[in-house]
Every structure is written in C-alpha cells, then in structure tokens.
Amino acid sequence: MGNVDYGKNNVKNSKTRERLTIFTLALPMFIWSFSAGIVTISLPTISQYLDIGTGMVSWVVVAHLIILTSFLLIFGRLGDYIGYKKVFLYGILLFTIGSYFCGISLDIFQLIASRIFQGVGSAMMLSMTPALVSSNFEHHRRGWAFGYISLATTLALALGYGVGSFITENMGWHWIFFSTVPMGIFAIYMVRTVIPHEEITKKRPKFDLAGSLLVFLAVMNLILPLELGKTIGWTSPLIMGTFSLSVIITVIFFVWESRQACPLFDVSLLKNLQLSFSITAAFLISTVLTGTIFLLPFYLELVMGYSTDFAGLLILAPTLLIIFAGPISGRVSDKFGSRIPTIIAGITLTVALILFTLLDQTIGIVFIFIALAVRSLSEGIFSPANTKQVMSHSKAEKMGSVSSLLNTGKYLGLVMGVVLFETVFEATIKTNSSNIEGMTSNGAFQMSAPVNTLLTGFHDAFLMGVVISILILIFILLSHENSEIENSEVPSKPEDL
C-alpha cells in the first residue's frame, strides 16, 4: 500500500513541477507581450503628446524589433554554448532595466534609445524560450507546453491593451513602462529558483563572431531602408544602396557559414523544406497579425472616435478567446498532429482580414468585435501548433539554433508587419490629402486627415493583408510535422533544482 502511495506522490510531484516549470517559462513571455500591448495601444497618445507622425512614432516599436531580430540568431547560438538558462536570465534583467529607462525618457530620441537597449534583453529571453521548453518537456508534452506559452503571450498582449489604455488615460504614457519593472524582478526570482541548469559540454569550438556581425548587418540593412524609404524616397541612392548591401552581406553570410565547422547558423537546416515552409508561415502570419494590431488603435480612435481606454478594452475583450484557443490547439497538436490546427488558423486569419477591409465609420461595434475575435482565434490556434511543428524537425544538439531561427522569423515578421502596414497606410493618406488645404505631412498629420482619407489608408493596408494571408495558407498546406522524432533526443537535465 505504501508503494502505491509513493507512486501517486511521485506522479503528483511530477505534475506540480511540470506546471511550475511552464508557469516560470511563460512568465517572461507574458511580460514581453504585456509590454508590447501597452506600447501599441499608447502609440496614438505618444504621437499626439510628442507631436510626431505615425512614421516617427512607429520607431518606438520598430527600433526595438530591429535589435531583437538582429540578435536572435546570435543569442540562440550562444545558448548552445553557455546554457539556455543563463542567457534567459540575463535577458530578463536587461529587459527590466530597459523598461525603467523607457519610463524616464524625456523625448522621442531617449525613448527610442531605451527601446533599443531593451531589445537586446528581449532577444536574449525570446530566443531561449522554445529551446527551454523542448529541453524540459518530452515531445508528447510539448504541444501542451507551447499551448500555454501561446496562452500567456496572447493573453498578456490583450491585457496590455486594456491596462495600457487605462494607464495612458489616467497616469500618462511614461507609466506604461514602469509597470513591467516589478514583474521583471519577480520573473528573475522564479527562473533562478525553478529552472534547472542544463549540462554544457566543456569542450566547445570557438564562437562564430564574424557570422554574428554579418547577420546583424544583414538584418539592419534590410529593415532600415524599409522604414526610411517612405521618407527619403524608394529610388534614392541611399535606399537602393542599402538594399543592395543587405543582399551582398546575406550572400557573404551564407557562404561564410557553410564553411564553418561550428557555424552561428547551420545552413543545412534550410535544406529541410518542411522546416523552411513552417518558419516562412510563422514569419508571414506574424507580419499580418502585428500589422493589423498596429493600425487598429488608430482606426478606433481617429475614425470611430473612441477614447484610448475604450479602444483598449474593445481590443482586449475578444482576445480573451485565447484562453481557450491556445491550450486546445496544443492538445489537438499532441493528439492528432499540428497540421489541422495550422490550417484552421490560416483560414480564420484570411476571414479576419477580409472583415477588416469592410470597416468604415458606420460599422457597428458588434462587427468590429467579431472581426477582432476571428483574428484572435487565428493567433491563438496557430502559435502552439506551428512551434511544435518546427521543433519536431530539430535534433537535440541543435534546439537552440532551430529555436532562434524560428524566433528570428517570427520577430522579423513583427518588424515587417509594422513597417509594411504603416507604410501603406501613411503613403495612402499622404497621397489622398496632398491637395487638401491646410493639411501638412509634418508632425501628427494623421490627426487632422479627413475620415474618408483615413479609411482609404486602412482599406489599402488590410487588402494587402488579405493577399499575404493567402500566401500563408499555401505555406501551411506545404508544411508537415516530423512525427518520427524520438523522446530520447530530449537533452538530459538534472532532477534537482
């Protein structure tokens, strides 16, 4: 009888430890997404307060994401060298310090500089999350784990809209950054206490410093001209030259990496078409999800005339559907495979973007809610299934590299989403309002643009989203999970804390 009780206690302790582990790993993701939500909903207020246009205020998001994306591969590989937990911990620390400096910023330039610093910390902790999940959970439990990670991130994003709008309306935009500082301190304590250190091989090859520099320059020279092109002209020598330089550096990077004994990025990973298709789908869906949520607060406030706090609550409410969608998607992925949930996610995203193209000044609040709900369902369903699908193609010794490659795709999509949707929106309203008397293209010009002009800008941006959504469906249909992965590939880890 005692043996039976002992077995039950072991099972109970194992489940408790498993839940505590996933809570601890999800916590930093929650904080990052919460921060993303409060920043996004506050952008119209920051734009008006500092008298800057959508192009300049978008740098509060874009600058952070450029640094984040540029360093993901670097820190992903570094995690393979020095340990995932160590990189994860320092990332949370830098992100928390960066949040404080954002809060004390006095102008847009200080704010952008602080967001750049914060981006380094974001890259460190986000690049490690899939690897830490994969190294702490067996394959048949990873869908469940990624489901709760998705739940935490999307729920946090939604709460960020609601809480951020309240803070911005009642306390000022500076406080949206201070709110994440105590959360970051708590996350550091939990990670130090709960997550075990993984075993690291003492004999390690030299870190690929040249590859790190090349990938950083390639990403920077790709994104910067996308953001600056609408200001100084797409055909200007500077923009064309920077694009060309990005292509050249990328080619040099791939040639260099293919000749390294232990490269920063294993080029052979791209030979796996299933892995490439899955990551491309993640990149594109991230682009659409981020681009739409960047523009929606402007639509709700400038076209519908809603206050910042009401707009935040309206975005928050339907997003709570993720509480059910994320975990269910993870469990379905574990039981039936990830293909079915990803296809459903692709279809619902396309429907959501079609609904967004129908938004106008007379549309009812119920229609807006439904469109936001369909978008949220797509986001919640896709992430855990796609992450499990990608990581199924990873060998144990390459989990950090595959994890960072996936996150590079996702967060490059975040940058591209803001840049592409904002560029189409701003270019459209500038073109259509160029002959309107009293309209200028300086400062917060979108605040004085006619409603019909604003609606044309939103329509064009969302129509582009429909086209991208169709491409997403194609890549999803081409993707498959590697069902032959063995549980023995999970790296060993200490049982004691």
Side-chain angles (χ1 to χ4, degrees):
M1 186 72 175
N3 289 336
V4 174
D5 290 338
Y6 179 76
K8 287 182 178 179
N9 286 334
N10 275 345
V11 171
K12 184 178 179 180
N13 291 337
S14 176
K15 289 184 177 180
T16 300
R17 180 184 177 85
E18 191 177 61
R19 290 167 183 165
L20 187 60
T21 298
I22 196 60
F23 170 80
T24 303
L25 292 178
L27 183 58
M29 297 298 294
F30 179 95
I31 297 170
W32 187 87
S33 292
F34 179 79
S35 175
I38 58 179
V39 170
T40 299
I41 197 64
S42 303
L43 289 178
T45 300
I46 295 175
S47 172
Q48 186 173 16
Y49 182 88
L50 298 177
D51 190 26
I52 53 178
T54 56
M56 177 59 78
V57 79
S58 69
W59 274 95
V60 176
V61 176
V62 172
H64 180 88
L65 293 177
I66 287 177
I67 298 300
L68 163 60
T69 308
S70 300
F71 280 102
L72 277 172
L73 279 176
I74 297 172
F75 288 124
R77 188 58 175 148
L78 188 63
D80 291 331
Y81 277 72
I82 67 174
Y84 306 142
K85 178 180 177 178
K86 184 177 293 186
V87 176
F88 195 57
L89 263 176
Y90 282 114
I92 303 170
L93 177 62
L94 292 183
F95 180 87
T96 304
I97 295 173
S99 296
Y100 174 77
F101 281 114
C102 287
I104 63 174
S105 297
L106 300 177
D107 56 41
I108 187 62
F109 301 105
Q110 290 182 18
L111 179 57
I112 291 173
S114 299
R115 289 284 286 170
I116 288 173
F117 178 83
Q118 195 180 37
V120 178
S122 296
M124 295 176 74
M125 63 182 186
L126 296 183
S127 64
M128 291 296 97
T129 303
L132 283 167
V133 170
S134 296
S135 62
N136 282 276
F137 293 90
E138 295 183 347
H139 179 68
H140 70 278
R141 294 293 286 167
R142 291 177 195 169
W144 171 84
F146 286 128
Y148 279 97
I149 292 286
S150 174
L151 168 62
T153 54
T154 312
L155 181 60
L157 192 65
L159 290 174
Y161 300 142
V163 175
S165 59
F166 175 82
I167 294 175
T168 302
E169 193 81 15
N170 296 280
M171 301 173 66
W173 64 266
H174 292 83
W175 284 91
I176 64 174
F177 297 104
F178 291 137
S179 64
T180 58
V181 173
M183 298 167 67
I185 295 172
F186 176 65
I188 291 172
Y189 167 77
M190 289 299 297
V191 172
R192 282 178 57 87
T193 305
V194 174
I195 304 301
H197 288 284
E198 62 275 7
E199 295 180 3
I200 304 298
T201 304
K202 293 183 178 181
K203 295 182 179 180
R204 298 186 297 268
K206 187 177 180 181
F207 185 75
D208 185 10
L209 185 60
S212 302
L213 179 61
L214 287 170
V215 73
F216 176 78
L217 293 175
V219 174
M220 288 286 287
N221 283 282
L222 171 64
I223 298 174
L224 284 176
L226 289 174
E227 182 64 17
L228 297 175
K230 59 182 180 288
T231 303
I232 63 180
W234 295 105
T235 58
S236 70
L238 178 61
I239 296 300
M240 298 299 290
T242 309
F243 271 128
S244 300
L245 184 60
S246 176
V247 173
I248 294 171
I249 294 175
T250 301
V251 172
I252 295 173
F253 171 72
F254 278 103
V255 172
W256 172 266
E257 295 298 290
S258 65
R259 297 178 178 178
Q260 300 305 301
C262 191
L264 173 74
F265 171 64
D266 189 351
V267 179
S268 65
L269 291 174
L270 297 181
K271 295 179 181 179
N272 184 337
L273 291 181
Q274 296 301 321
L275 177 64
S276 298
F277 290 151
S278 298
I279 291 177
T280 301
F283 162 72
L284 291 175
I285 206 167
S286 180
T287 298
V288 174
L289 290 171
T290 306
T292 52
I293 209 64
F294 173 81
L295 287 183
L296 282 170
F298 289 95
Y299 164 76
L300 295 174
E301 294 183 36
L302 301 183
V303 175
M304 300 303 293
Y306 298 146
S307 63
T308 302
D309 52 356
F310 183 79
L313 290 174
L314 182 58
I315 295 175
L316 163 65
T319 311
L320 294 178
L321 290 170
I322 303 302
I323 293 177
F324 308 100
I328 290 175
S329 174
R331 292 185 183 276
V332 170
S333 298
D334 284 336
K335 191 169 184 179
F336 301 105
S338 57
R339 184 172 171 79
I340 294 175
T342 54
I343 291 175
I344 294 174
I347 293 172
T348 53
L349 180 65
T350 304
V351 172
L353 265 295
I354 292 173
L355 294 177
F356 286 145
T357 62
L358 302 177
L359 295 177
D360 59 31
Q361 193 177 16
T362 62
I363 208 76
I365 193 171
V366 174
F367 185 92
I368 298 174
F369 182 91
I370 292 173
L372 288 168
V374 175
R375 177 199 173 278
S376 297
L377 280 175
S378 175
E379 184 173 8
I381 294 170
F382 182 82
S383 184
N386 173 258
T387 304
K388 181 173 183 282
Q389 189 175 76
V390 170
M391 297 307 294
S392 74
H393 294 281
S394 170
K395 295 181 179 180
E397 68 274 10
K398 294 185 178 180
M399 281 184 178
S401 298
V402 174
S403 170
S404 60
L405 179 61
L406 170 62
N407 278 308
T408 298
K410 283 185 176 180
Y411 296 110
L412 183 59
L414 295 185
V415 183
M416 297 298 291
V418 174
V419 171
L420 290 178
F421 279 74
E422 189 278 325
T423 297
V424 172
F425 172 72
E426 183 176 295
T428 301
I429 62 176
K430 278 186 176 181
T431 300
N432 290 322
S433 61
S434 58
N435 297 323
I436 300 177
E437 185 177 353
M439 276 288 296
T440 67
S441 59
N442 299 318
F445 67 93
Q446 72 279 355
M447 298 295 178
S448 58
V451 171
N452 289 337
T453 300
L454 291 171
L455 284 172
T456 302
F458 289 122
H459 177 270
D460 289 355
F462 293 141
L463 191 60
M464 176 186 63
V466 173
V467 175
I468 300 175
S469 297
I470 294 173
L471 289 175
I472 292 169
L473 261 175
I474 294 173
F475 281 105
I476 286 175
L477 292 172
L478 292 172
S479 304
H480 295 275
E481 182 177 344
N482 177 16
S483 58
E484 298 178 356
I485 187 169
E486 298 292 337
N487 288 336
S488 60
E489 290 185 352
V490 179
S492 61
K493 55 184 182 294
E495 290 299 322
D496 300 325
L497 289 176

